[in-house]
Each structure stands twice: as C-alpha cells, then as structure tokens.
Amino acid sequence: MINLFEVSETNKMIEQEQLDVRTITLGISLLDCADSDINNVNKKIYDKITRLGEKLVSTGEEISKEYGIPIVNKRVSITPISLVGASACRSPEDFVSIAHTLDRAADTIGINFLGGYSALVNKGMTEADRLLIESIPQALTETSLVCSSVNVGSTKTGIDMDAVRLLGGIIRKTAEMTVDNDSIGCAKLVIFCNAPDDNPFMAGAFHGVTEGDAVINVGVSGPGVVRQALTQVRGESFEVLCETIKKTAFKITRVGQLVAQEASRRLGIPFGIIDLSLAPTPAIGDSVADILQEIGLERAGAPGTTAALAILNDQVKKGGIMASSYVGGLSGAFIPVSEDQSMIDAVEAGALTIEKLEAMTCVCSVGLDMIAIPGDTKASTISGIIADEAAIGMINQKTTAVRVIPVIGKGVGESAVFGGLLGHAPIMHVNEFACDEFINRKGRIPAPIHSFKN
C-alpha cells in the first residue's frame, strides 16, 4: 500500500529531479496489411494505425493530468516495413510511398514519432530488404515523424557485412540530402545488432514479429533522480553506492508500471513491457554523465568511466526487474552525446573520444548514439564503425547500435544543432586510417562459438 511518504517522495522526483515517463509507445502489427497492390497496402496501413492509435495521445494526456506524472512522448512502433511491403514494393519509390503514408498516419493521430521503417537483415538481405534500405535517404528526407532502423547482426547468426557496407553509403547519402539541417536525417536512423522486439525508444523502435496484434510499452527515464540520490552517499562504499542506485531504479520503475497499467486499461490494449532506461535530455541536471561524475569521476571519459557505467547499468536493471514483472526493451543507461549536456562538455574538454565511447558501449544499453562526425568521413569508415559496434554486440550477447551523423560541410571544432530532445553536438574526431579492404570483403562474419546453444 502506498503511504504519504512515498507520495511526497514521488512528487519531489517529478518536480525537482526531472523524473518523467519518456514515452508511451503503442506497438502495432501490420502483418495483416500485406498485399500485392501497393495502394491497398497504403490504405490498410493508414486505416489500422489511425484506428488503433486514435486515442493514444488523449489517453496519455489524461493520465499525465490525473496523476501529475509528465509523459513526454506518445509514439507508435510497427512491424518492420520490409516485411509488410515485400509483395507490393518493386522499387525504392514504392517503399517511400509507404513512408509518406506512415508520416500522414502519425500526423493524424498526433504522435511525436513512428518507428518501424525497418529491415531485419542479420543473416542476409531479401530483395525487399535491399529496396527498403536504398529508400531510406529519400524516406527520411521527405517525412517528419518516421524513424528507421536496420538490424545487421545477432549473436545467433553473425553479422551481414554486405548490409554493413551498403549502410555506410546510405548514412552518407541521408546526410547529404538533409544538409540544410545539419544532416539531421541521420538522427532518425539506427543500425543495430541484437535489436529487441519491444523497444519503445526512438529511433530504433519496431514491433517485432513475435509480438501480438497491439501492445503498450512504456519507457521511463530519471537520470536526475539517480544523481540526486547519489549525492547523499558521497564517499560511501561500493555496496552502499549499488544499493542506492538499485533502490532508486525500483522507485522509478514503479511509476512506469502505474502509467503502463492505466494506459493498457483505458485503451483496451495489452501491457507489454517497462523499459527503464536512463535516457538523458539536453536539460541541465538530466544527464547520465552527471551520474558518472557523482560516482567519482572528474569528467565522463576519465579512467574508471567504463567501470562506473557498468555499475550503473547493472544496478538499474536489478532495481527495475524487482519493480515490474515485465521489464524489457533496452533497460539501462543511454549515452547519446548530443542529448546529454555533460557528455557534450566532456567532449569539448577533451575527456571523451569515440574510442572511449566504444569501450563504454561494452557495458551500457545501446551504443554509439547521436554522435556528430566530420562531413567528409568516408562511407567505408562509417561501415567500419558499424562493424565494430555490431561485433561488440554479437560477442557479448547484448544490443548495440550506431546512430552517427556525418555533418556535411562541418569538421572537428564545429558544432551541429538539431534542436528539441536531439540537442546539439560537437563534431568528434574519427580515426582517418582506412578500412576499405576489410569492408569490401563480401559475405558475413560468422556467429561466435558460444552462439551454438540448443
């Protein structure tokens, strides 16, 4: 039973420490929208999204008002479109027409983003997969609310290096087509290894094929709450540190559980998972890097950063699992550079490099996220960065991802401005030695030996 102290404590977390429900994400299966006629596909997709998502935004606003809990985003994730459009799409332009339909449906129901303009190619590409990937630059340039992702590998299957090679060029082309806005199109494209089917966070959300017809997933975020809790245990042992993070994560997750159950009940759609991810924003005090500094680092990127992040991620997961029977998605700490002011400060101070961020991704929830790189970075170099991150995910049996933005016309020492939750980012130095011969090999990297568990 909730007591007055817990009510007061939750109010403090919301009002003073920037606790929020980052997103209510409605997952929708579009498998029944497949058709051999592209016009029928588009009509079915639009009708289903607008029918099931009609009350998503109003319901989120009602819950937020009644309980006093900020719900920042209302989003939709869908079945990977390469599967839905496989029978009807004969060209990249056919897939782009679906992207326009998705954008129109998202606008009609008033959501912030729609994820699932995606392909799953961890073992190889179908013709539909290839056409969708080739359509991504145009699709992300001509739409506002659509997000895209491609899963290029998994622990069980290895890494599809043909897709990795192709995507280096796709990212560069997307950057070039959105050059007028600091190549922001790339901020809506994520390349995964071991992508989860139930991730509610953009830009990588999609509704997995093993999911039901519709489901409610909720993503909760509270880095400011964790940082504030840690100020009370400065100088204490690692045991006290870990207990404090774990207990705080438990409290944060309980808030998400309440919102998820209410949204599920009111919409008449099953509850899926709570994703407890410490996802920062550009707001001061809403920072994962601040937590690392509170743990004892002068700056994020200093020696000890990877260990501190490992502690944080593990204890967040432990606390979240105790608070909800259905914890899923990514659940842990995000380290997107452009969305975390203290991460930006660390880059500008010379404490944080791409190489250190790559090491940090071995123990955190995602990967190289929202990193601006020089606009003249070669496609093969981008593919090499993707391959490195995918290898970390494959070998360590975890999700990793790459969301890098080659900002056309800008170089190290300059900054890209994206606005809103996407923030701004200093252009980071990229190793300039070539990897072309490696990337140009055809085929796939085999799965590691520990993948064979039957």
Side-chain angles (χ1 to χ4, degrees):
M1 183 174 178
I2 298 175
N3 58 44
L4 288 176
F5 173 76
E6 290 173 318
V7 172
S8 174
E9 188 177 41
T10 301
N11 285 339
K12 180 184 176 185
M13 289 192 293
I14 292 169
E15 294 172 4
Q16 299 177 26
E17 299 163 10
Q18 297 177 313
L19 170 66
D20 61 53
V21 170
R22 188 57 51 86
T23 178
I24 296 178
T25 300
L26 168 61
I28 301 176
S29 173
L30 298 183
L31 290 174
D32 56 352
C33 297
D35 196 288
S36 59
D37 185 292
I38 188 65
N39 294 321
N40 288 341
V41 171
N42 280 311
K43 183 180 185 305
K44 289 178 181 180
I45 287 174
Y46 181 83
D47 290 347
K48 187 165 188 180
I49 292 173
T50 53
R51 174 172 54 84
L52 290 178
E54 179 183 13
K55 297 181 180 179
L56 177 63
V57 172
S58 61
T59 299
E61 290 172 349
E62 288 169 5
I63 294 171
S64 181
K65 184 177 179 180
E66 289 179 27
Y67 289 91
I69 300 170
I71 300 174
V72 180
N73 294 289
K74 297 86 180 174
R75 299 162 170 170
V76 166
S77 63
I78 56 170
T79 307
I81 285 298
S82 68
L83 302 176
V84 181
S87 297
C89 294
R90 299 289 181 266
S91 68
E93 289 72 26
D94 286 339
F95 275 109
V96 172
S97 76
I98 295 179
H100 283 288
T101 298
L102 296 172
D103 205 46
R104 187 162 56 92
D107 183 63
T108 298
I109 62 177
I111 58 174
N112 304 97
F113 285 111
L114 183 148
Y117 194 77
S118 307
L120 310 178
V121 297
N122 24 307
K123 200 172 182 181
M125 288 182 285
T126 66
E127 180 64 9
D129 291 328
R130 185 182 62 80
L131 292 175
L132 180 133
I133 291 171
E134 290 176 354
S135 78
I136 287 172
Q138 184 181 352
L140 296 185
T141 300
E142 296 180 359
T143 60
S144 300
L145 305 176
V146 173
C147 293
S148 181
S149 61
V150 181
N151 191 74
V152 297
S154 75
T155 299
K156 292 293 289 183
T157 61
I159 302 169
D160 181 358
M161 290 299 292
D162 292 330
V164 170
R165 182 177 63 255
L166 177 60
L167 283 161
I170 292 297
I171 290 171
R172 271 209 59 88
K173 187 174 180 181
T174 304
E176 291 163 359
M177 292 182 70
T178 53
V179 63
D180 292 342
N181 293 306
D182 277 348
S183 303
I184 195 172
C186 297
K188 298 187 290 179
L189 172 59
V190 184
I191 314 303
F192 277 113
C193 178
N194 287 323
D197 284 353
D198 54 6
N199 166 27
F201 284 96
M202 300 296 167
F206 63 85
H207 186 73
V209 294
T210 60
E211 301 280 316
D213 196 52
V215 68
I216 292 290
N217 296 323
V218 168
V220 187
S221 182
V225 180
V226 175
R227 185 194 64 81
Q228 182 59 35
L230 293 182
T231 63
Q232 308 303 310
V233 294
R234 289 174 181 166
E236 297 284 357
S237 68
F238 282 107
E239 181 181 359
V240 173
L241 172 73
C242 292
E243 281 296 305
T244 302
I245 296 171
K246 187 165 60 177
K247 289 176 181 177
T248 306
F250 176 88
K251 296 170 186 175
I252 294 169
T253 308
R254 294 300 283 176
V255 173
Q257 177 86 354
L258 170 65
V259 170
Q261 289 175 338
E262 275 299 299
S264 174
R265 181 180 65 81
R266 297 183 189 200
L267 291 168
I269 293 173
F271 161 52
I273 56 95
I274 299 291
D275 185 324
L276 172 60
S277 289
L278 299 183
T281 71
I284 302 300
D286 198 27
S287 162
V288 169
D290 280 349
I291 299 174
L292 301 178
Q293 289 170 196
E294 188 59 49
I295 288 174
L297 306 171
E298 181 180 1
R299 290 277 191 186
T305 296
T306 305
L309 184 59
I311 292 169
L312 175 62
N313 213 55
D314 184 53
Q315 298 306 313
V316 163
K317 290 177 185 290
K318 287 174 178 174
I321 286 171
M322 288 297 294
S324 174
S325 297
Y326 299 103
V327 174
L330 297 167
S331 287
F334 286 10
I335 50 173
V337 173
S338 79
E339 299 171 16
D340 189 317
Q341 184 57 52
S342 290
M343 287 283 184
I344 294 168
D345 294 342
V347 171
E348 293 176 339
L352 192 59
T353 64
I354 287 182
E355 288 75 18
K356 184 60 178 178
L357 283 164
E358 183 180 306
M360 292 163 68
T361 64
C362 295
V363 299
C364 78
S365 290
V366 279
L368 296 174
D369 195 17
M370 285 304 292
I371 295 173
I373 60 177
D376 61 359
T377 304
K378 295 193 302 181
S380 59
T381 299
I382 296 171
S383 294
I385 292 171
I386 295 169
D388 284 342
E389 274 300 299
I392 289 172
M394 175 183 70
I395 295 296
N396 290 288
Q397 305 179 68
K398 70 184 294 294
T399 301
T400 51
V402 172
R403 185 164 49 149
V404 295
I405 303 155
V407 185
I408 305 301
K410 292 189 175 181
V412 176
E414 296 180 271
S415 183
V417 179
F418 307 119
L421 284 175
L422 298 177
H424 67 282
I427 310 297
M428 298 184 70
H429 176 263
V430 174
N431 191 313
E432 296 176 2
F433 285 90
C435 61
D436 300 59
E437 291 187 18
F438 173 69
I439 294 300
N440 287 331
R441 293 178 182 270
K442 299 185 185 302
R444 60 188 172 95
I445 296 175
I449 187 67
H450 58 256
S451 68
F452 300 107
K453 295 178 181 178
N454 293 319

